[in-house]
Amino acid sequence: MKKLAVKKNVECMACLQCVRACSEAFYKDFDEDLSCIRIVAKGTGAKPNTCIQCGKCMRTCEHEAITQNPKTGVYMINKKKCVGCGKCAEACPMHVIAFKQGGTASKCIACGICAKACPMEVLEVVEK
C-alpha cells in the first residue's frame, strides 16, 4: 500500500509549505482548511497529520464516491459521485479530508507534492 508517512527523528518546523502545496494543487488557492495535510501541536513542536489510508471515509460514504485503488491501496474520491455531504470528513480519524462548503471533498492520494515542498524533508511517500 502506498501512503504518505512522517519520518521519525525529523522535526517539523510548522512552516506550512506542505499545507500550501497540497491546497494549491487541489484548489489553486492557499487555505489551510483545503489541504489534505494538517500541522498539529506535539509537545513543544509540531507534527504533520497525514492520511493513514484506513478506509473509514470509504465505509462512511453513502454514495460510493470513495474507492480503493487495487494497485496502490490508496483511497480516492470520485468527484463525479461526491455530493459534498462531508460525512467522510467527519469520519476521518486524522481530520485530513479537505471539504469546501458547496463543493466536493478531497483526500490524500499519496502524490508526494507535500513531501517535495517540505524544506525539512519530514514527509515521504512509502510502500507499506
Side-chain angles (χ1 to χ4, degrees), residues 31-93:
D31 182 336
E32 288 183 58
D33 293 333
L34 298 180
S35 175
C36 299
I37 188 167
R38 303 278 189 257
I39 305 300
V40 296
K42 183 181 180 190
T44 58
K47 173 190 170 291
N49 257 7
T50 62
C51 177
I52 56 175
Q53 303 296 340
C54 67
K56 287 183 180 179
C57 56
M58 181 185 78
R59 292 188 295 276
T60 303
C61 182
E62 298 170 0
H63 305 280
E64 298 179 352
I66 304 174
T67 56
Q68 186 177 28
N69 182 312
K71 191 173 186 178
T72 64
V74 172
Y75 291 90
M76 303 175 82
I77 298 173
N78 181 330
K79 301 290 185 185
K80 292 179 182 174
K81 289 185 176 182
C82 180
V83 298
C85 69
K87 288 183 181 176
C88 58
E90 292 171 14
C92 179

Side-chain angles (χ1 to χ4, degrees), residues 12-25 29-32 35 37-39 48 112-123:
C12 172
M13 60 184 201
C15 67
L16 302 180
Q17 290 305 310
C18 58
V19 174
R20 175 183 295 279
C22 181
S23 169
E24 289 178 352
D29 186 23
F30 175 50
D31 182 336
E32 288 183 58
S35 175
I37 188 167
R38 303 278 189 257
I39 305 300
I113 288 173
C114 57
K116 290 175 187 160
C118 178
M120 301 303 290
E121 298 181 1
V122 173
L123 302 165

